[in-house]
Amino acid sequence: MIMLAKVVSYGGNSVRYALEKENAKTVKVNNMPDGLDPTAIWYMMKHHCQYHQAERTVGRKLERFMTTFVLSPSKAEFANFTMEDWADLQDEALDVLDSVGLTPNGFSNEIKTNFTNSMNVGGLHSDSKSGTLHLHIDCCRVDMEGNTNDVHDIHLRAMKAAEIINMRHGWEQPQEIRNMRKVELAEDCEHILKDMQQFNIDRYFNLLRMKGYEVKPRYDRQRKLVGYTVGKNASVFKASEIGRKFMASKIEDTWLKLHPQPTQVKTKPVSPSVAPAPRPVSPVIQTPTASQPKAQPQITQTAFTINIGDEVKKVWIPNSVKDVFTNEVQIPEDNDIATTENVAHVAMLLFAGYIDAATSMSESCGGGGSAPSSGWGKKDDEDDWKFAHRCAQMAHSMCKPKPRSRSFHR
């Protein structure tokens, strides 16, 4: 079993993802009333942190109110698991986390956490491709006694907890699982390259996605591929980790080595022989017939249907910049309502020139930030890729919540 951990600032989105993703099941809710929806759970955690924040007299202000964990056992490990078993695993994971003592840099004493006595909720997810189950646990940073759970080196604490749980149950250790998945991924990458009759990096990525992997390419400002990551079942690998031959700079050479070209046999030149001059033939103009197939136009754009209130907009995005909207947009930290899809739709509307629709969309998902100035549009010296990035940046600004007005007290 692998256990991942990180502190998040987008707590509302995290809870909604854990409990409302397609086919997600709520496993257990601890230290909170049953029957709460994800938004109510998040506001309860946030209010609890802010309430005790007012009592703090030392240290920095607490800004990130949630820690999220992902438990990913193998199919053999969770075979025959019931919902009660998953609930027990949730409690066991938090209990073991609290037992792990760490001494972060700058501390003289061993520090432990108290996630068991903190508000927490678990959601069970199923991978859409492989069907592998994994458990998401969202925990409040402040326990029920008002003490802040330490998150220094939280990923190390999670790794140590996973090792203890694996030893208890006789499961494989995280490093062994990661090595096994890396070997499996390298085999899949090589098999895909062997089956490709022509090299195309986008097709290579799509074939990996069809096998259930999540692929995230990374481009520079000139839209040149400089790297990519491939992930599955909570294990994410850089291309260089899979193998140097799969790196962005070497993968085409790897494909060429897997498809050697037949060597050309040199033949002896034959002495030219004089042949009678051919009679001139008048050219025959071939007229197209119904039996001749017409060349099919290549699809270079993708259509996105966007709902704005009662109105529906159909936006066409060039495939060359589609990844900017689907993979690179980010939710503003203070917006607990917006989703990645909301921000992407605002950016697409800006790209298509629907300024009013983009403004309405940003306001409907909690935005209140800056709006485009008059004359917004693509500049004469700007290509699609640069304009798409500018639209993504503007959408991020538009989806920021309106700053609260502050009053001054004596």
Side-chain angles (χ1 to χ4, degrees):
M1 183 194 74
I2 291 177
M3 187 175 185
L4 304 179
K6 63 178 179 179
V7 186
V8 296
S9 56
Y10 42 89
N13 291 333
S14 182
V15 177
R16 282 190 289 271
Y17 178 78
L19 302 183
E20 291 186 341
K21 191 196 171 191
E22 185 180 4
N23 299 324
K25 297 178 181 177
T26 303
V27 175
K28 192 174 184 181
V29 177
N30 290 320
N31 301 311
M32 285 181 289
D34 292 328
L36 296 178
D37 61 29
T39 302
I41 289 174
W42 163 236
Y43 281 137
M44 193 168 180
M45 290 185 182
K46 185 176 180 180
H47 174 74
H48 180 74
C49 292
Q50 291 175 334
Y51 175 79
H52 289 285
Q53 174 71 35
E55 300 175 352
R56 291 166 61 99
T57 57
V58 295
R60 293 186 301 174
K61 180 182 177 182
L62 190 65
E63 295 178 345
R64 295 181 292 177
F65 301 142
M66 179 179 289
T67 308
T68 183
F69 303 95
V70 180
L71 279 63
S72 180
S74 66
K75 284 187 176 181
E77 292 167 351
F78 68 74
N80 303 320
F81 257 35
T82 64
M83 289 301 289
E84 288 76 14
D85 295 324
W86 284 106
D88 291 341
L89 182 60
Q90 176 179 336
D91 290 339
E92 181 183 10
L94 297 180
D95 184 62
V96 174
L97 271 167
D98 294 339
S99 70
V100 174
L102 294 179
T103 307
N105 292 334
F107 288 75
S108 57
N109 299 324
E110 190 177 69
I111 305 297
K112 293 187 177 182
T113 57
N114 192 20
F115 286 114
T116 303
N117 191 32
S118 303
M119 299 180 196
N120 62 83
V121 60
L124 186 63
H125 289 193
S126 174
D127 185 82
S128 58
K129 298 289 184 180
S130 64
T132 304
L133 299 177
H134 52 278
L135 178 63
H136 287 255
I137 307 174
D138 290 332
C139 296
C140 184
R141 280 283 305 280
V142 178
D143 66 17
M144 302 306 292
E145 299 171 3
N147 300 312
T148 303
N149 287 307
D150 179 73
V151 292
H152 289 90
D153 297 327
I154 189 65
H155 62 291
L156 296 178
R157 194 183 296 275
M159 288 174 60
K160 290 180 179 292
E163 290 175 1
I164 295 171
I165 296 172
N166 288 330
M167 288 179 63
R168 283 182 183 176
H169 295 273
W171 295 342
E172 293 184 34
Q173 291 296 348
Q175 191 58 46
E176 295 173 1
I177 297 172
R178 183 174 176 82
N179 292 339
M180 179 184 66
R181 288 177 177 169
K182 184 169 72 172
V183 172
E184 181 184 350
L185 173 56
E187 292 175 352
D188 286 340
C189 290
E190 187 160 339
H191 182 72
I192 287 172
L193 290 173
K194 282 182 180 178
D195 287 348
M196 289 173 60
Q197 298 305 311
Q198 291 182 334
F199 180 76
N200 183 298
I201 192 65
D202 292 327
R203 176 161 174 74
Y204 167 71
F205 290 156
N206 287 334
L207 289 172
L208 279 172
R209 292 184 180 108
M210 290 172 65
K211 285 184 172 287
Y213 294 102
E214 183 179 356
V215 183
K216 291 187 177 180
R218 187 164 53 88
Y219 301 93
D220 62 11
R221 292 188 176 181
Q222 284 71 43
R223 195 56 186 168
K224 179 183 176 183
L225 182 70
V226 294
Y228 63 95
T229 60
V230 184
K232 188 178 185 180
N233 297 337
S235 297
V236 180
F237 301 93
K238 294 180 180 178
S240 57
E241 292 180 286
I242 307 169
R244 287 181 58 82
K245 63 183 180 180
F246 300 113
M247 293 169 58
S249 59
K250 299 180 181 294
I251 191 166
E252 188 169 2
D253 293 336
T254 303
W255 179 85
L256 288 171
K257 289 178 182 178
L258 294 172
H259 297 79
Q261 299 297 318
T263 56
Q264 295 182 351
V265 180
K266 292 184 179 180
T267 56
K268 221 173 175 183
V270 181
S271 56
S273 58
V274 180
R279 293 174 61 185
V281 180
S282 58
V284 178
I285 301 174
Q286 187 176 4
T287 57
T289 62
S291 60
Q292 291 178 332
K294 295 182 180 179
Q296 295 294 326
Q298 188 176 2
I299 298 174
T300 58
Q301 293 184 322
T302 301
F304 291 86
T305 303
I306 303 174
N307 296 313
I308 310 109
D310 297 330
E311 188 181 4
V312 177
K313 295 283 188 186
K314 192 170 186 179
V315 177
W316 291 90
I317 299 296
N319 290 339
S320 58
V321 298
K322 185 172 67 173
D323 280 346
V324 175
F325 301 103
T326 56
N327 293 330
E328 297 185 23
V329 296
Q330 294 183 346
I331 305 170
E333 288 189 0
D334 297 333
N335 193 328
D336 299 328
I337 300 174
T339 64
T340 306
E341 186 181 42
N342 295 146
V343 183
H345 284 173
V346 174
M348 289 178 188
L349 291 167
L350 290 173
F351 188 87
Y354 297 119
I355 310 302
D356 292 340
T359 304
S360 299
M361 184 82 188
S362 65
E363 291 174 350
S364 68
C365 63
S370 56
S373 57
S374 59
W376 169 268
K378 186 177 177 182
K379 300 176 182 177
D380 294 337
D381 60 344
E382 195 173 37
D383 57 21
D384 284 344
W385 189 77
K386 289 182 180 178
F387 183 47
H389 271 273
R390 193 156 61 87
C391 291
Q393 292 171 357
M394 176 56 71
H396 184 272
S397 298
M398 292 172 68
C399 290
K400 286 182 179 179
K402 195 172 183 179
R404 297 176 183 176
S405 58
R406 297 183 180 179
S407 57
F408 294 90
H409 303 279
R410 293 181 63 86

